[in-house]
Amino acid sequence: MSDSPLLAIHGAVAGDAPDNAVAAHYGAITAEQRRLVAGGTFVDLSHRDVVTISGPDRLTWLHSLTTQFLENLAPAVPTEVLLLSPQGRIEHGFSGIDDGETFWAHTEPGAGAALVEFLDRMKFFMQVDVQLVTDEWAVIGLPGLTWRIVPRASLPELPAELGDPVGLWAWEALRIEAGMVRIGLDTDDKTIPNEVGLLGVAVHLDKGCYRGQETVARVHTLGRPPRRLVRLLLDGSVDHLPPHGADVTLDGVRVGFVGTAARHHELGPIALAMVKRNVDIGATLLADGVAAAQEVLVDPEAGLHVRPVLS
């Protein structure tokens, strides 16, 4: 994907991979976060891949494959969706919305081709058509961490309609504050939905069978996922953020990894991290050597509340 035309705006500074095709900021990092909270702006997310799924069978077909309840999905209702391995590990994740004729999905930069390839293999005799349309369509972020898909050719005109854009760093800081994971950055190839707080968000707990459901259901009913997502409040006196994949340690022992990190306009430096379930929630951890307090996002005892009580 080529660089966004919004990188031509005065003051734009490109992000780091995989976000290097859009602006990290436009020169006023803290002010941009406050503007995103207040409204009257947008975020360039046009580096994300866009996929369309059309055809009369699209919703029943997606319903049968994914973790989400998509049969009879009403138009204009946004949803979060996962595709799992037979072992329940997250293989693909996307946000989507149906317009009555087409299901529009967007996923991480560079992940669209693999998603289309997988879906094409699963079509069999269903009346569906799957297309990667990133060259023609683009994602933008809106206040409240909502999103919209727009024609890519319209990107240069959006500031006149929506206000001057703010950079991706503003979006990322608010996303991390909200505990919303990016698949492939805050997760790894072993992650199951239970570990990252996606039950009831991207996983519908009352739908029928889908690939990987047995693992999700077993951990949900028996409790205690192997790992848990945490938000780290990082030592603000240190001049760098821990990079993606950096070790999280306790008493010199590796207990997890850093996913994404950002500087929040009120909370200071924060990050999402995956740590072992049995790590003491009150322990101060080190993330790439930076001291970090934990804020619980996934309860270490998640699932125990649904166990039957035997008298």
Side-chain angles (χ1 to χ4, degrees), residues 130-184:
V130 183
Q131 298 289 334
L132 181 63
V133 296
T134 313
D135 287 342
E136 295 83 33
W137 297 89
V139 186
I140 61 170
L142 298 170
L145 294 180
T146 60
W147 53 268
R148 184 190 305 171
I149 295 176
V150 300
R152 182 165 292 275
S154 73
L155 287 173
E157 284 73 49
L158 288 181
E161 175 189 347
L162 300 174
D164 290 338
V166 298
L168 184 68
W169 283 1
W171 178 272
E172 289 292 274
L174 300 184
R175 177 189 62 80
I176 292 170
E177 177 191 14
M180 298 167 57
V181 295
R182 287 181 67 176
I183 303 301

Side-chain angles (χ1 to χ4, degrees), residues 65-256:
L65 292 175
T66 72
T67 58
Q68 190 57 274
F69 197 103
L70 297 174
E71 282 186 340
N72 303 315
L73 178 69
V77 176
T79 187
E80 300 294 321
V81 186
L82 300 175
L83 288 160
L84 307 182
S85 74
Q87 294 75 36
R89 296 171 177 174
I90 299 173
E91 291 189 338
H92 302 280
F94 52 92
S95 303
I97 197 166
D98 196 77
D99 66 6
E101 295 183 353
T102 299
F103 185 88
W104 296 79
H106 62 93
T107 188
E108 287 293 327
L115 174 60
V116 169
E117 180 183 4
F118 174 82
L119 292 174
D120 272 338
R121 291 202 311 267
M122 303 303 292
K123 287 196 302 188
F124 302 110
F125 300 106
M126 304 298 285
Q127 296 183 67
V128 293
D129 180 63
V130 183
Q131 298 289 334
L132 181 63
V133 296
T134 313
D135 287 342
E136 295 83 33
W137 297 89
V139 186
I140 61 170
L142 298 170
L145 294 180
T146 60
W147 53 268
R148 184 190 305 171
I149 295 176
V150 300
R152 182 165 292 275
S154 73
L155 287 173
E157 284 73 49
L158 288 181
E161 175 189 347
L162 300 174
D164 290 338
V166 298
L168 184 68
W169 283 1
W171 178 272
E172 289 292 274
L174 300 184
R175 177 189 62 80
I176 292 170
E177 177 191 14
M180 298 167 57
V181 295
R182 287 181 67 176
I183 303 301
L185 291 177
D186 297 307
T187 66
D188 60 12
D189 59 5
K190 297 179 181 179
T191 302
I192 63 174
N194 314 62
E195 296 176 321
V196 288
L198 291 176
L199 301 191
V201 177
V203 179
H204 196 286
L205 294 173
D206 297 321
K207 67 164 285 185
C209 184
Y210 56 86
R211 191 168 77 157
Q213 183 189 28
E214 181 179 353
T215 297
V216 173
R218 182 173 66 249
V219 175
H220 178 60
T221 55
L222 297 181
R224 296 180 175 177
R227 301 176 300 177
R228 57 187 178 86
L229 184 73
V230 296
R231 182 170 46 247
L232 299 179
L233 301 179
L234 299 160
D235 180 358
S237 68
V238 179
D239 63 359
H240 76 280
L241 293 172
H244 167 67
D247 287 347
V248 176
T249 61
L250 176 61
D251 297 332
V253 177
R254 185 182 187 275
V255 294

Side-chain angles (χ1 to χ4, degrees), residues 1 18-20 45-49 107-112 182 185:
M1 173 53 56
D19 303 323
N20 48 298
L45 302 178
S46 63
H47 61 318
R48 291 181 62 82
D49 279 342
T107 188
E108 287 293 327
R182 287 181 67 176
L185 291 177

